[in-house]
Amino acid sequence: MNAQSVQKEHWGAVKGKEVSLYTITNDNGMKMQIMNLGCIITSLFVPDKNGELDDVVLGFDNLQDYLNGHPSFGTTVGRYANRIKNAQFVMNDSVYKLTVAGDGTALHGGNEFQDAVWDAELISTENGDGLKFHYFSKDGSHGFPGNLDVYVTYLLSDDNAIYATFEADTDKDTHVSMTNHSYFNLNGAKELIYDHKVMIDADTYTEFDEDITPSGKLPPLKGTAWDLSTMTRLGDKIHDIPLNGYHHCYVLNKEAGEMKKAAEVIEPNSGRKLEVFTTQPGITVYASNGLEDITGKYGVAYRPHMAICLETQDLPDAMNHPNFPSTLLKPGKKYSETIVYDFGVLE
């Protein structure tokens, strides 16, 4: 990439802090737009089989619409992705009560990272050009213990891959699980996602209760309508699944910390494909089942099944289930996880 691959424009201000929109363009013309409010990916222009660019993520074209509230379009999620049952956990003989969402759980860390204006620094690496964001989450924020020093890096490579790295350290025992919450539609949101074909490398999932938090059981996917262990057209099974479609955390077939392909998505009409690699143990697949009454970019009315989220993460509510991989971060240790969204076209 060249020195002009990242451009910055003023998008507004939040609580006296400047919000900037950054545009990163690679040598193929692929373009990622991301702002320092919530480290939100606002647009992602990706070539199709004919080389034509389309924006393949949902979102808004102005800051105010994000400030009015939204279902985590493109945001960086933390301190803890997904739900925590009863909005609390016990650690070191203390009960920590967290910010409660409408369903009685703690959801996405109370949207702390989504609502924060992050510091941003332009960087250039062997994996591409992009931005390194920084945020300091104070001890007790949304009920979580420990001062958490957080860095998030988003890079765009010349082979049309996005590298997202999440890093944090703490001065007290705490729990951390971070992800990106982009809503993908590989046909540019021209149609619903029913023709998208998806494969997830997982044989088990986190069974959930009525509040969509894990029961603690990790049953097999085989025989369920939400089994995605082989390439599956989403429209074939989506209406047979409770909660109006896919909303499950899949336990990936991988070793702890191993960087491995977790998911593949194919959109046959545009010819686009997306491969997702991660070091994390799980991936929540959400088919935007509750999406409605929102007008997004280009005047498009968003509705259920308009997009699919592929949220690689630690398992939800892990601190309340000793049989789940631990999310405990201790002083002197570093939280570090990576996601790669690798875009291509069908051959």
Side-chain angles (χ1 to χ4, degrees):
M1 292 189 179
N2 57 55
Q4 304 302 313
S5 63
V6 182
Q7 295 180 324
K8 174 183 177 181
E9 62 180 288
H10 177 72
W11 235 33
V14 174
K15 295 179 180 177
K17 294 185 177 181
E18 181 177 2
V19 176
S20 298
L21 181 70
Y22 298 86
T23 302
I24 303 130
T25 307
N26 72 7
D27 286 349
N28 301 317
M30 180 175 165
K31 185 165 63 175
M32 173 172 64
Q33 292 186 302
I34 186 168
M35 65 171 164
N36 62 321
L37 174 69
C39 305
I40 292 173
I41 296 176
T42 63
S43 294
L44 202 55
F45 295 90
V46 178
D48 66 5
K49 60 188 176 183
N50 299 315
E52 298 295 323
L53 295 173
D54 265 321
D55 189 353
V56 300
V57 294
L58 306 191
F60 304 111
D61 57 11
N62 65 88
L63 176 61
Q64 188 57 51
D65 281 346
Y66 285 100
L67 297 177
N68 290 341
H70 61 99
S72 299
F73 286 141
T75 193
T76 294
V77 175
R79 289 185 183 190
Y80 203 94
N82 217 308
R83 288 172 168 80
I84 298 172
K85 193 173 186 67
N86 297 325
Q88 66 180 35
F89 61 88
V90 177
M91 185 177 64
N92 301 334
D93 298 324
S94 295
V95 178
Y96 292 91
K97 295 186 178 295
L98 311 174
T99 298
V100 182
D103 59 5
T105 68
L107 178 61
H108 295 330
N111 289 338
E112 178 184 2
F113 287 10
Q114 173 176 311
D115 296 337
V117 179
W118 297 57
D119 298 325
E121 174 190 2
L122 302 181
I123 61 170
S124 182
T125 77
E126 61 182 11
N127 286 329
D129 294 349
L131 293 126
K132 187 170 188 175
F133 297 99
H134 173 250
Y135 174 67
F136 186 78
S137 176
K138 294 181 179 178
D139 181 21
S141 183
H142 290 272
F144 287 93
N147 291 301
L148 197 73
D149 206 19
V150 188
Y151 289 89
V152 177
T153 303
Y154 285 94
L155 302 169
L156 175 60
S157 76
D158 279 330
D159 57 3
N160 291 0
I162 294 169
Y163 291 78
T165 302
F166 309 92
E167 298 174 296
D169 54 53
T170 182
D171 60 359
K172 290 182 182 178
D173 288 2
T174 194
H175 288 277
V176 182
S177 173
M178 297 174 62
T179 192
N180 176 271
H181 204 294
S182 288
Y183 287 68
F184 295 102
N185 183 315
L186 298 188
N187 64 42
K190 296 179 176 66
E191 301 169 352
L192 300 181
I193 55 172
Y194 297 148
D195 283 342
H196 285 58
K197 297 178 180 179
V198 178
M199 185 280 296
I200 305 292
D201 185 13
D203 298 321
T204 59
Y205 72 103
T206 60
E207 178 187 83
F208 52 73
D209 293 333
E210 64 281 351
D211 57 5
I212 324 179
T213 55
S215 67
K217 298 178 181 178
L218 301 173
L221 285 157
K222 188 173 183 179
T224 68
W226 49 93
D227 182 5
L228 294 171
S229 56
T230 58
M231 192 63 74
T232 302
R233 179 180 176 272
L234 293 180
D236 290 346
K237 294 287 182 69
I238 200 167
H239 298 293
D240 300 328
I241 300 172
L243 301 175
N244 194 34
Y246 298 91
H247 199 164
H248 299 74
C249 183
Y250 295 73
V251 182
L252 296 171
N253 297 324
K254 62 191 289 298
E255 299 297 322
E258 176 189 11
M259 171 61 83
K260 190 178 179 185
K261 181 172 157 180
E264 182 171 354
V265 184
I266 293 170
E267 205 290 301
N269 300 311
S270 66
R272 291 187 184 90
K273 68 175 181 178
L274 167 60
E275 294 177 295
V276 182
F277 299 79
T278 187
T279 54
Q280 296 165 300
I283 182 170
T284 292
V285 178
Y286 175 54
S288 58
N289 309 324
L291 194 60
E292 55 190 343
D293 299 325
I294 297 176
T295 300
K297 293 173 289 186
Y298 321 114
V300 175
Y302 293 158
R303 57 193 196 276
H305 307 156
M306 180 66 79
I308 185 169
C309 301
L310 301 162
E311 307 160 53
T312 73
Q313 58 191 232
D314 286 280
L315 303 189
D317 197 35
M319 66 280 286
N320 291 317
H321 300 284
N323 58 316
F324 287 9
S326 175
T327 56
L328 179 65
L329 180 65
K330 299 181 76 69
K333 301 293 184 181
K334 181 173 284 292
Y335 174 89
S336 181
E337 302 286 359
T338 299
I339 309 169
V340 179
Y341 302 104
D342 191 2
F343 290 89
V345 293
L346 300 174
E347 296 180 357

